Amino acid sequence: MSLVELIGQADERGLAASGLACLDRCVPLLGGDDEVLRPLWAGLADDAGAAEWGERLEQVRGKLGGEFGAADEESGEDEAVVLARRMLAAAPAERSAAGVRAWADACSVAALQIHRLLDPLTDAGDSVDARREGRTEGMSPLVAAELRRQITVLELLAGHGPAGLRPALEVCTEGRRVLRAVVSRRSRRRG
């Protein structure tokens, strides 16, 4: 099943986890530590967490600093950083199915684009949309790994419900470590 189909079939919790997982893997670009999104993950474990989503989201935004939504290409920030900031800025204040569906979809595209920008090897595909639809020939390794992680998170939540959150978080932790290493190597090459 393609990533687009998995997102289309996911429930509210799976969608929120999907968007949050994409953002979590990109936290190294925002200067956040590994625990910064933990309150949002904890809120996914039960239905009561949906009511606290907006408050927890604002706390996360405060910890990561910056004016979210204000960053753009003219600010001088790297395109990957701009995309990560937009993911956080676009997070819905209310954890409703409609709101998190649009956010999860946008985060999926942004995270794949970020990985494509940071991969030292060229991705031969025309767009990340083709990757999300299942056309994976010529895919660069970093993009392929991100696509696998996105699919895995959605499958874990679809198959295990709330019990799938812990293994989904482990998938995110692995992806965050990979991206942190890529960002670090890139910084050393530039500096």
Side-chain angles (χ1 to χ4, degrees):
M1 189 175 298
S2 76
L3 179 57
V4 171
E5 292 169 322
L6 286 169
I7 290 172
Q9 294 178 3
D11 65 6
E12 176 265 328
R13 186 185 326 263
L15 293 165
S18 177
L20 186 56
C22 290
L23 178 59
D24 197 337
R25 287 189 295 277
C26 296
V27 158
L29 293 167
L30 300 175
D33 66 34
D34 290 352
E35 301 297 316
V36 72
L37 297 179
R38 205 55 83 137
L40 291 171
W41 280 106
L44 293 179
D46 58 38
D47 292 331
E52 298 169 1
W53 173 267
E55 181 182 323
R56 292 177 182 187
L57 178 61
E58 286 309 310
Q59 290 171 357
V60 166
R61 286 178 175 153
K63 288 178 183 176
L64 291 173
E67 291 294 320
F68 293 98
D72 59 28
E73 289 79 4
E74 295 176 18
S75 69
E77 284 190 315
D78 183 271
E79 186 179 353
V81 174
V82 170
L83 288 169
R85 285 193 175 283
R86 286 181 183 163
M87 270 195 274
L88 183 55
E94 184 180 315
R95 203 180 88 192
S96 65
V100 291
R101 183 171 309 283
W103 180 60
D105 196 54
C107 286
S108 169
V109 171
L112 286 167
Q113 185 62 28
I114 287 168
H115 284 75
R116 189 176 193 183
L117 289 167
L118 297 177
D119 199 325
L121 301 175
T122 303
D123 185 79
D126 293 336
S127 70
V128 294
D129 290 331
R131 303 308 186 201
R132 292 171 29 129
E133 292 167 0
R135 296 190 300 274
T136 59
E137 58 284 340
M139 196 166 20
S140 64
L142 199 60
V143 175
E146 173 60 16
L147 181 65
R148 276 193 309 275
R149 287 183 188 100
Q150 288 188 26
I151 289 170
T152 300
V153 165
L154 285 162
E155 288 175 343
L156 284 167
L157 272 291
H160 304 287
L165 286 169
R166 182 173 299 279
L169 188 54
E170 290 170 6
V171 168
C172 289
T173 300
E174 173 200 355
R176 191 177 339 101
R177 286 182 187 138
V178 168
L179 195 67
R180 192 175 304 281
V182 169
V183 168
S184 177
R185 272 194 303 269
R186 190 171 84 144
S187 294
R188 283 194 303 270
R189 279 195 307 260
R190 287 181 170 179

